[in-house]
Amino acid sequence: MCGIIGAVAQRNVVPILLEGLRRLEYRGYDSAGLAVSVNGGLTRVRKPGRVAELEAEIKIQKTHGNLGIAHTRWATHGVPSERNAHPHVSEESLAVVHNGIIENHEALRQRLSEIGYHFTSDTDTEVIVHLIHFHFHQEKDLFQATRKAVTELKGTYAIGVICAAEPNRLVCAREGSPLLIGVGIEEHFIASDVSALLPVTQKVVYLEEGDVADIGLLDFRIVDRSGMQVSRPVQISELSADRAELGGYRHYMQKEIFEQPRALAETLEEALSHGDLNPTIFGDHASNVLSAIDSVTIIACGTSYHAAMVARYWIESVAGIPCNAEVASEYRYRDSVPNPNALIVTISQSGETADTLAALKHAKSLGHVHSLSICNAPESALVRESGLRFLTRAGPEIGVASTKAFTTQLTALLLLALVLGKLRGRISAAQETAHLDALRHLPAMVNQVLLLEPQIELWAERMAFKQHALFLGRGLHYPIAMEGALKLKEISYIHAEAYPAGELKHGPLALVDSDMPVVAIAPNDALLEKLKSNLQEVRARGGELYVLADQDSQMQAQEDVHLIKLPEHAGLLSPILHTVPLQLLAYHAALQKGTDVDKPRNLAKSVTVE
Ligand code: G6P
């Protein structure tokens, strides 16, 4: 989603801004732009489409400058177009880039129009730049003007501001959207994501909610919401400046699917190094917290929510602890009954999903004190705000459709269920050893499943030009059916729905005919016989079945039943293994259709607005 980078330096900052934008591209966007201060004025270049198009235009215009801000926009208010792309300017003298949503933009727009400001876009952002301009006119100081303006904003924002009259000054502010300052040698930067800055500095200062910062070449100062000057720690980012490369793969999604054995091995490394199920993998004080809690609430969005749903089955059956899974955007606004002895678990690949972050804050405001985040971004806001943490080690995930992040999240959640079970005396020493052995073999088992790709490609060829698909699963594999349906719709644009197979006859059966492929996840578990009956209901209506079974499940392919067999049943690990063919199915269906696999239309990797 939207990304910000800004710089104040003694060198031309345009190449730094462009490289920053390229590094933010994977988040998903539909237009890009930058503004630089040059010769006492501002130059602005904006383009709908890709950063490469902006770069080409910048080359033609030979844009340069020592102070600048740049942005990738993912449309919320107003269609993707040049006029709606950031930066937005006021009177050609002040420019702003913005992530977030200004909720009172209509009232502000009306007020500013009445005093003579002329609006040239449909965005909520444009009110910010005119508001700062209005205060600048009175204050004659960009920092003070920005401070005054942000007190009038309702909603969420991370903003970067420059003005023609102050060519060595970059001002920024945040509320509800991440923003950080990068510290260089006699130069400073801002960014919404540290990855944008890694080629120029690893020294970063994370702004807190309500902070406004005044940044010059040599130094910067930060003022908090109350107007007090504050000092925030300088941290050294441990992320690598190397950009994720495609290697021999055609798409990042394909690469990331095939990286899963390594990602799982790295995620498990610390847990397996202890030789037992050790609570410290969740943090130094985890043992006390995990022993004390009496219920678990898991909160997440999108694919991460599907991981939460699987975990609910694991935690209740393995640890015997009541567990519920909540969609973050619902949880944060519903009247829930808080339980101070509950563990609040948030799951997020990026650690910056706005709804998930807000849900964690909401839980804390209700009096919850125990929190754990499962996250793939070690330096993210979510990790910083959680008491306990487990870092999945999937590595950077660039494809918008989440793959390796999901299976590593599942692995972390299974470890959580097992540790909770052990702390409650529900796992014997022999069972503990068996679980650890199974986990040790997980990467190799995923490798085996990846070998099924040619068979899955044949399924994808048959399904790619269908309009709809139904995914069925039961128990632990119902959320996996949901994840399979989500992957297919995200990247191939085929309408796909998932149902717990037992619900089929309560509605979706009405949709089944020979044009409706029905994908069933049919592992050899306690529910297999029940599931087989559900599948007969599909066959009896002329539906075409695509069944993912286990080697030991005695199922047979037939004319109307396509069958792929995974290795033998993997017990608790089965949902992780059954995810992989569904990822490949979506990937190959998208290839058949020729869609933009890594950047599907309308979607963003990091959803930083609610
Ligand atoms: C977006 C992405 C999904 C992801 C979801 C939650 O919608 O496209 O792939 O599952 O956000 O993201 P998170 O980073 O919190 O896991």
Side-chain angles (χ1 to χ4, degrees):
M1 211 164 244
C2 303
I4 289 176
I5 174 158
V8 51
Q10 284 163 311
R11 53 178 164 156
N12 178 17
V13 296
V14 171
I16 297 171
L17 299 181
L18 283 173
E19 176 60 17
L21 291 184
R22 279 191 288 268
R23 286 167 173 265
L24 294 170
E25 274 193 297
Y26 77 97
R27 302 160 63 91
Y29 70 104
D30 38 50
S31 56
L34 60 71
V36 285
S37 157
V38 64
N39 303 331
L42 291 183
T43 303
R44 173 172 64 153
V45 188
R46 300 177 295 169
K47 278 277 168 196
R50 299 286 177 227
V51 171
E53 292 163 55
L54 176 74
E55 190 175 0
E57 185 62 30
I58 280 170
K59 272 200 184 126
I60 295 167
Q61 297 194 18
K62 300 190 170 57
T63 313
H64 66 94
N66 298 349
L67 169 71
I69 48 178
H71 191 261
T72 46
R73 172 176 187 256
W74 186 84
T76 58
H77 295 63
V79 297
S81 63
E82 181 165 337
R83 65 191 288 273
N84 288 331
H86 300 212
H88 289 286
V89 298
S90 188
E91 310 283 323
E92 302 297 320
S93 62
L94 213 143
V96 164
V97 285
H98 165 226
N99 287 358
I101 290 179
I102 303 305
E103 286 167 5
N104 58 339
H105 71 102
E106 279 168 352
L108 288 171
R109 182 180 272 251
Q110 192 175 344
R111 206 179 91 203
L112 289 159
S113 299
E114 278 164 15
I115 55 176
Y117 281 101
H118 173 58
F119 282 78
T120 58
S121 79
D122 310 315
T123 64
D124 53 332
T125 301
E126 200 179 346
V127 300
I128 307 176
V129 71
H130 294 315
L131 198 56
I132 298 175
H133 185 274
F134 170 76
H135 288 294
F136 185 70
H137 196 64
Q138 294 166 350
E139 299 284 332
K140 312 279 184 252
D141 178 290
L142 187 63
F143 181 62
Q144 297 306 343
T146 305
R147 283 192 56 212
K148 282 214 156 161
V150 295
T151 61
E152 297 182 58
L153 302 178
K154 290 202 174 70
T156 56
Y157 54 82
I159 56 171
V161 195
I162 59 171
C163 80
E166 305 201 38
N168 288 316
R169 196 176 201 186
L170 177 56
V171 173
C172 67
R174 77 158 279 200
E175 181 73 61
S177 285
L179 196 64
L180 54 102
I181 298 173
V183 182
I185 299 167
E186 300 193 0
E187 56 188 15
H188 285 102
F189 311 92
I190 59 168
S192 51
D193 178 334
V194 65
S195 63
L197 295 185
L198 292 173
V200 281
T201 185
Q202 289 183 302
K203 283 168 85 176
V204 293
V205 176
Y206 289 95
L207 295 185
E208 301 278 330
E209 301 289 13
D211 283 354
V212 185
D214 186 8
I215 305 166
L217 285 169
L218 303 180
D219 50 20
F220 63 88
R221 68 189 160 119
I222 302 171
V223 164
D224 71 8
R225 199 193 306 278
S226 70
M228 290 281 292
Q229 189 158 329
V230 285
S231 128
R232 307 278 181 227
V234 178
Q235 303 184 18
I236 309 296
S237 172
E238 289 177 9
L239 300 180
S240 153
D242 296 343
R243 271 210 270 163
E245 301 292 344
L246 267 178
Y249 292 97
R250 192 162 159 195
H251 294 102
Y252 283 105
M253 182 182 179
Q254 182 193 26
K255 176 177 180 242
E256 288 157 7
I257 291 171
F258 281 87
E259 275 175 353
Q260 288 178 111
R262 184 199 52 73
L264 292 167
E266 289 186 11
T267 298
L268 281 164
E269 191 179 299
E270 200 211 324
L272 295 177
S273 71
H274 290 284
D276 66 352
L277 289 165
N278 202 310
T280 56
I281 57 175
F282 297 102
D284 292 342
H285 310 295
S287 186
N288 295 340
V289 174
L290 298 183
S291 302
I293 53 124
D294 63 10
S295 73
V296 180
T297 293
I298 315 181
I299 306 170
C301 302
T303 286
S304 298
Y305 170 66
H306 294 155
M309 287 182 69
V310 176
R312 176 169 165 247
Y313 286 87
W314 276 333
I315 289 173
E316 296 215 342
S317 71
V318 175
I321 301 175
C323 176
N324 61 340
E326 301 250 9
V327 170
S329 56
E330 288 295 313
Y331 175 79
R332 63 182 288 196
Y333 290 119
R334 79 180 180 86
D335 292 326
S336 53
V337 181
N339 167 8
N341 296 324
L343 176 68
I344 300 293
V345 181
T346 48
I347 312 173
S348 175
Q349 188 285 126
S350 62
E352 57 176 63
T353 301
D355 280 321
T356 309
L357 278 167
L360 175 58
K361 282 188 193 147
H362 176 67
K364 288 184 181 173
S365 75
L366 292 177
H368 284 111
V369 285
H370 305 304
S371 61
L372 161 69
S373 68
I374 293 176
C375 189
N376 196 40
E379 294 168 23
S380 63
L382 193 70
V383 172
R384 281 183 277 121
E385 300 213 357
S386 302
L388 302 177
R389 69 214 41 192
F390 185 101
L391 296 174
T392 51
R393 289 174 56 197
E397 192 180 65
I398 307 296
V400 164
S402 186
T403 52
K404 60 178 181 171
F406 179 64
T407 46
T408 54
Q409 286 167 351
L410 288 178
T411 306
L413 289 158
L414 179 56
L415 285 167
L416 178 64
L418 292 170
V419 167
L420 287 169
K422 179 180 169 184
L423 289 172
R424 275 154 188 78
R426 290 171 62 104
I427 293 180
S428 67
Q431 286 169 329
E432 181 172 3
T433 308
H435 285 308
L436 288 169
D437 277 351
L439 285 166
R440 206 165 279 121
H441 286 113
L442 178 63
M445 290 194 266
V446 171
N447 251 326
Q448 290 291 311
V449 179
L450 287 167
L451 297 176
L452 299 170
E453 187 181 26
Q455 294 177 56
I456 296 160
E457 254 181 280
L458 297 178
W459 280 17
E461 279 169 24
R462 295 181 68 96
M463 284 172 58
F465 295 96
K466 299 283 183 188
Q467 301 293 316
H468 309 274
L470 208 54
F471 286 68
L472 301 176
R474 294 193 75 135
L476 272 173
H477 298 83
Y478 163 49
I480 301 305
M482 293 178 73
E483 176 59 8
L486 177 65
K487 286 290 87 94
L488 190 68
K489 69 184 132 196
E490 274 182 309
I491 61 167
S492 74
Y493 314 146
I494 296 171
H495 171 228
E497 295 295 336
Y499 274 89
E503 277 289 293
L504 194 61
K505 58 178 101 44
H506 298 294
L509 204 51
L511 299 172
V512 172
D513 61 16
S514 57
D515 254 349
M516 172 72 91
V518 178
V519 180
I521 299 135
N524 191 14
D525 62 12
L527 290 167
L528 181 60
E529 292 309 318
K530 304 266 178 222
L531 181 77
K532 280 183 181 167
S533 310
N534 304 139
L535 300 188
Q536 291 308 331
E537 295 160 9
V538 173
R539 287 184 73 197
R541 272 94 192 157
E544 197 171 13
L545 279 169
Y546 295 79
V547 182
L548 288 172
D550 294 336
Q551 206 55 252
D552 45 0
S553 72
Q554 318 277 322
M555 291 182 84
Q556 302 297 332
Q558 298 182 37
E559 201 188 326
D560 54 350
V561 182
H562 309 278
L563 185 69
I564 294 181
K565 287 195 172 179
L566 276 70
E568 58 195 42
H569 183 54
L572 290 176
L573 297 176
S574 175
I576 301 176
L577 298 177
H578 277 266
T579 299
V580 176
L582 298 175
Q583 297 169 340
L584 288 167
L585 179 63
Y587 175 69
H588 284 288
L591 274 194
Q592 292 285 327
K593 294 191 76 171
T595 58
D596 191 347
V597 172
D598 287 330
K599 298 191 190 82
R601 68 185 181 202
N602 307 340
L603 299 182
K605 182 75 184 156
S606 283
V607 180
T608 49
V609 296
E610 69 169 289

